[in-house]
Amino acid sequence: MGFLGDIGSAIMTPLYYAVSGILLVWHELFSQVLPETSGYTWVLSIIGLTVTIRTLLIPLFVKQIKSSRNMQLLQPQIKALQQKYKHDRQKLQQEQMKLFQDTGTNPLASCLPLILQMPVFFALFRVIDRAAQLGDDGGGRGFMTDQDAEQLQGATLLGARIADTFINTDLIGTRVLTMTLVVIMVATQFITQRQLMAKNMPADALSGPYAQQQKMLLYILPFVFAISGVIFPLGVLFYWVTSNIWTMGQQFYVIRNNPGPGTPAFKAKQERDAKKGRTVTEDPLESAKQAEIEAKPKPTRNQPKNKARNQRKKGGKP
């Protein structure tokens, strides 16, 4: 357990410094116009931290969109491989991996922004949680000093202390604001996922076991966030809500202006372009399907062999 703890500390310690450093830079900026001990100053600093992290993740988000689009375009070929090697699972996996490598597609790229955000989320959780539990050894972590931690611990917003959680406070204001943020967090998570499934997924992707799994997650994840939200410090909830709103807005912009092929959003963009007199972009997914149909060998019709006149008479009905 000590060895694993050392590994975890080696991974998280740089993140503590990065998160606390960015947080304190924003705090210093907002302290120029607001009291440095104010809850508004600390909450705006957390929002600034969120914007900074999400801005740094934009290249990964672009990569995620490209990978998702490639996956949609490859669906006809993947289905053909599944049909061809349905009795040889190992060969199917090899051929799929070869297809992904040849086309430069990474099926895991869609998870990268979320995966890379989680360590930052936990680092912020630990920074705020340590400040909330200010003890004899101080509450500073990373670049945050004990004085900074003391300020954060006592900072209030609308009668709520931003370092407290729903379950460790007796303040009504903290509980009301916490539940409000949990509701917003759950709603934005649901709307973002629903928007993706309804507008930016082709009809073929909405059927099958994978689609059913996505639909289950659509309704299960909000409950998970709602339950876990009561143990998060209020400041961490501000981070998560801001991140969700960023994701929702970013996804809306991408779906509207650069939608995936073969999706309702792509057809809607074609209609808008047609109304504005712009050149209507061809749907690459439909083109790929049409090319696949045209590439299939057409059945040949067996023509009867030429027969002599007397042979045709003999073969005919009397």
Side-chain angles (χ1 to χ4, degrees), residues 8-30:
S9 177
I11 295 174
M12 294 302 296
T13 297
L15 285 175
Y16 294 144
Y17 279 96
V19 167
S20 61
I22 297 172
L23 184 65
L24 290 175
V25 168
W26 281 104
H27 183 264
E28 181 64 25
L29 291 174
F30 286 117

Side-chain angles (χ1 to χ4, degrees), residues 14 58 65 102 113 131 160 179 182 185 228 236 261 264 277:
I58 285 178
I65 294 296
D102 292 342
M179 292 312 300
V182 168
M185 180 176 66
S228 59
V236 175

Side-chain angles (χ1 to χ4, degrees), residues 73 99 113 143 178:
L73 289 171
L99 178 63
F143 288 112
T178 297

Side-chain angles (χ1 to χ4, degrees), residues 40-203:
Y40 289 97
T41 307
W42 282 105
V43 167
L44 288 174
S45 302
I46 292 171
I47 293 174
L49 167 68
T50 312
V51 172
T52 302
I53 298 299
R54 293 310 305 263
T55 302
L56 294 174
L57 290 177
I58 285 178
L60 287 177
F61 181 78
V62 173
K63 188 175 182 179
Q64 171 193 2
I65 294 296
K66 290 181 179 178
S67 180
S68 177
R69 181 161 300 137
N70 285 344
M71 287 295 294
Q72 292 173 7
L73 289 171
L74 291 176
Q75 285 306 305
Q77 298 179 54
I78 292 175
K79 286 186 176 181
L81 290 175
Q82 290 173 343
Q83 185 65 27
K84 183 177 181 180
Y85 301 107
K86 58 183 178 181
H87 298 302
D88 190 344
R89 193 171 187 84
Q90 183 177 359
K91 183 65 175 177
L92 173 61
Q93 292 177 349
Q94 292 175 352
E95 291 297 322
Q96 284 182 338
M97 290 302 299
K98 184 176 182 300
L99 178 63
F100 294 150
Q101 290 174 358
D102 292 342
T103 57
T105 303
N106 182 4
L108 300 179
S110 59
C111 304
L112 283 178
L114 180 61
I115 292 174
L116 293 181
Q117 256 198 109
M118 293 310 295
V120 177
F121 175 80
F122 286 120
L124 178 63
F125 177 89
R126 291 299 300 156
V127 167
I128 297 178
D129 186 60
R130 185 173 175 82
Q133 298 176 7
L134 196 62
D136 296 336
D137 60 343
R141 185 179 280 274
F143 288 112
M144 183 171 285
T145 64
D146 293 346
Q147 183 181 357
D148 295 326
E150 189 174 354
Q151 282 186 10
L152 180 58
Q153 183 195 46
T156 60
L157 175 68
L158 302 176
R161 297 206 314 183
I162 63 175
D164 287 348
T165 68
F166 181 88
I167 60 178
N168 74 349
T169 183
D170 295 328
L171 296 176
I172 299 300
T174 302
R175 291 188 172 182
V176 170
L177 187 54
T178 297
M179 292 312 300
T180 301
L181 290 177
V182 168
V183 170
I184 296 174
M185 180 176 66
V186 169
T188 50
Q189 182 76 28
F190 179 86
I191 292 171
T192 301
Q193 185 66 20
R194 179 65 180 170
Q195 180 187 51
L196 179 65
M197 294 181 64
K199 294 186 177 181
N200 206 40
M201 290 183 69

